[in-house]
Amino acid sequence: MAVYEERIPQVKQQRPRRRGNRKLVFLLVLFFLTILIIVFIRSPYSKVQEIRVTGNDIYTTEQVITESGLMKDMQFLNVWENSVRSNLKPLEAIKDVTVSRSFPGLITLHITEQKRVAFWSGQDGSRYALLDNGYVLKQVNFAKRVVDRPLISSWASPELLPHLAKSLSKLSPNVLAEISDITLTPTVYDKQRITLYMRDGNEVRSVIYKLDKMMNWYPAIMKQLPPDTKGVLSLFEQPWFIPYGAQGAIPIQEGQEQPQQPQQ
């Protein structure tokens, strides 16, 4: 009997075919995903519905959007930050830009610009921004905008503008806002002497390379003077103040109050 049993072929047990079922499920999922993608692309939710710009001061929102190449109704997923950054390179005052997306359809451009520290006046009445990197931006005419920075009214040495811009960028915003006009008044001994005309009626005389260190003391110095006293403040090695029409100087004591520091 054992011999006969060995000669009888054994029937192999067939396992259920799962590979075909998995392939079918995969194809069904792929099919429905394709349908959903097609429906999404054709729906309004796949389009750019609104474009916002934040952080811009020098350029208008319309200028930034136009130069960025973005438009309403373009594909929402087809907005690339590198492309936008490249398109905005002609706007010379823009340091950087980042792009954020908010569903549905909102694109926000976050702009970082060079800071304006002063205005350069042209002979034709134009007014251009002096940036903190020393560059005079002639892309935008500020003649019709509010003068919220010092006005450079007379400056015969353009090569000194980067040094002036660097010093002004280190002043506190409050002190910078108090300066009305800046004039280069060089002497035989020092080519960097300047005169600042303040909005409160005072006049400050100093040098470019000391301006960022000395000028932040201005509010503290003014508190030491008698009320309604106007005159000339010299900020060199030792500050001193001469009222208009007076012969003698009023001594200035240093160290009574910390100077204002520029906000970062």
Side-chain angles (χ1 to χ4, degrees), residues 222-243:
M222 289 298 103
K223 290 181 180 180
Q224 300 181 37
L225 302 176
D228 301 324
T229 301
K230 306 300 178 185
V232 179
L233 174 65
S234 294
L235 295 178
F236 297 102
E237 295 297 333
Q238 176 65 39
W240 48 270
F241 183 85
I242 299 179

Side-chain angles (χ1 to χ4, degrees), residues 103 139 163 190:
F103 189 79
Q139 283 186 332
H163 302 286
D190 199 333

Side-chain angles (χ1 to χ4, degrees), residues 170-205:
K170 295 181 180 180
L171 297 182
S172 71
N174 292 337
V175 172
L176 186 63
E178 284 296 317
I179 304 174
S180 174
D181 292 85
I182 301 177
T183 302
L184 183 65
T185 52
T187 66
V188 177
Y189 305 100
D190 199 333
K191 302 298 183 182
Q192 294 197 28
R193 287 208 176 189
I194 57 175
T195 300
L196 295 81
Y197 300 93
M198 310 302 290
R199 299 186 189 278
D200 59 8
N202 290 311
E203 180 181 327
V204 178
R205 295 174 184 175

Side-chain angles (χ1 to χ4, degrees), residues 103-121:
F103 189 79
L106 174 61
I107 300 294
T108 303
L109 305 181
H110 304 275
I111 303 297
T112 302
E113 295 178 336
Q114 300 283 353
K115 294 181 180 179
R116 297 181 294 112
V117 295
F119 286 118
W120 174 272
S121 298

